[in-house]
Structures are given as structure tokens and as C-alpha cells.
Amino acid sequence: DVLKNEFSIQVTQQNNKVLSKNAIYLQLDSKLGKEAYVLDVQTDKIVCKASSNAGLFYGLQTLAQLIQTENG
């Protein structure tokens, strides 16, 4: 909801393996620690990987902070 409410970023669910450009992707990765996350920021997409919903939450919170910092 933070991405939608604060930054007008529409969130949709996609189950295919093809990553589109200009999108933010959330992926579960059991290889990471319990609440760990990895943010991969590229010019055409952002991928947040985590092993749990808690990790995705923390990753999205970090992304929101980065966007706020960039936009002042």
C-alpha cells in the first residue's frame, strides 16, 4: 500500500518468469536468511528478493525510503 498510496505505483501480481521493463518485482527466495532481502535496482526494473513476507516488507520499506530521499 505504501507504493500505491505514497508514490502512485500500481501493484499487480504476475506469475510468469519473464520480467518486463519499467516494473518492480517481488520474489521469494528460500536461500536468503529469515528476514533478509536483496534490492536489485537497475535502470529498467527493480527486483526485491526475500525468503519471507517480512523480508519483502523490509525491502519495500527501504525502497520507499530511497524514493523519498531521491524526491526530496
Side-chain angles (χ1 to χ4, degrees), residues 22-36:
N22 301 320
I24 299 171
Y25 292 93
L26 308 178
Q27 299 177 342
L28 292 175
D29 184 347
S30 61
K31 298 174 194 163
L32 297 172
K34 183 177 178 182
E35 294 180 353

Side-chain angles (χ1 to χ4, degrees), residues 17-59:
K17 299 281 184 182
V18 179
L19 299 183
S20 302
K21 292 184 177 183
N22 301 320
I24 299 171
Y25 292 93
L26 308 178
Q27 299 177 342
L28 292 175
D29 184 347
S30 61
K31 298 174 194 163
L32 297 172
K34 183 177 178 182
E35 294 180 353
Y37 64 90
V38 174
L39 277 178
D40 180 12
V41 180
Q42 300 177 21
T43 57
D44 60 346
K45 65 181 162 272
I46 298 171
V47 179
C48 179
K49 293 182 183 180
S51 63
S52 66
N53 288 336
L56 289 175
F57 173 79
Y58 295 133

